[in-house]
Amino acid sequence: MYSIIKILMSALIIAGVTEMAKRFPTYGGIVAALPIVSLLSIIWLSVQEEKKEVVSQFTLGVLYGLPGTILLLAVVYICLKNSFHVFMCLSIGVVCWGLFLGLQKILFKIITT
């Protein structure tokens, strides 16, 4: 039952943000940047009675992912401004994101040992 509700809520949020972005691109971007997915995930984990440690680790994972996400969005923005095709922009952004996360993981290992 929770799965269907989660899927419907996710679809409604994505559709709403997409429609807002069509009419008001800047505001659509601001709303898309809100931590809606993170907050909903924390709520669903709590509703499913996950341990606080699991929710805490999830939240830490979100924090670890933020710098890579910022890089991805910056790369996509720069590529779009330079008239690259949208799928090329996304591909380059995802590759940069993946490389950054790999580098971040190596750096955290070095720092914590």
Side-chain angles (χ1 to χ4, degrees):
M1 180 65 173
Y2 286 129
S3 295
I4 294 171
I5 293 170
K6 286 191 266 186
I7 291 169
L8 289 174
M9 284 182 69
S10 299
L12 287 172
I13 289 169
I14 292 168
V17 171
T18 302
E19 286 302 313
M20 179 183 284
K22 286 180 188 177
R23 291 176 178 81
F24 311 101
T26 301
Y27 294 123
I30 291 169
V31 172
L34 294 173
I36 295 169
V37 173
S38 300
L39 294 174
L40 284 174
S41 297
I42 290 169
I43 290 167
W44 287 120
L45 287 169
S46 298
V47 166
Q48 295 173 353
E49 299 180 356
E50 286 293 333
K51 295 178 182 174
K52 287 184 180 179
E53 294 81 22
V54 171
V55 178
S56 177
Q57 281 300 112
F58 168 78
T59 306
L60 184 61
V62 171
L63 289 173
Y64 284 151
L66 283 177
T69 300
I70 292 168
L71 176 65
L72 178 146
L73 294 171
V75 167
V76 169
Y77 172 77
I78 291 166
C79 289
L80 286 170
K81 283 299 227 183
N82 287 295
S83 301
F84 284 73
H85 188 273
V86 70
F87 292 112
M88 179 63 74
C89 297
L90 295 174
S91 298
I92 294 169
V94 169
V95 168
C96 289
W97 174 79
L99 291 171
F100 183 86
L101 290 181
L103 179 63
Q104 183 180 9
K105 185 176 181 177
I106 291 168
L107 287 174
F108 279 138
K109 274 187 178 178
I110 292 170
I111 291 170
T112 58
T113 56

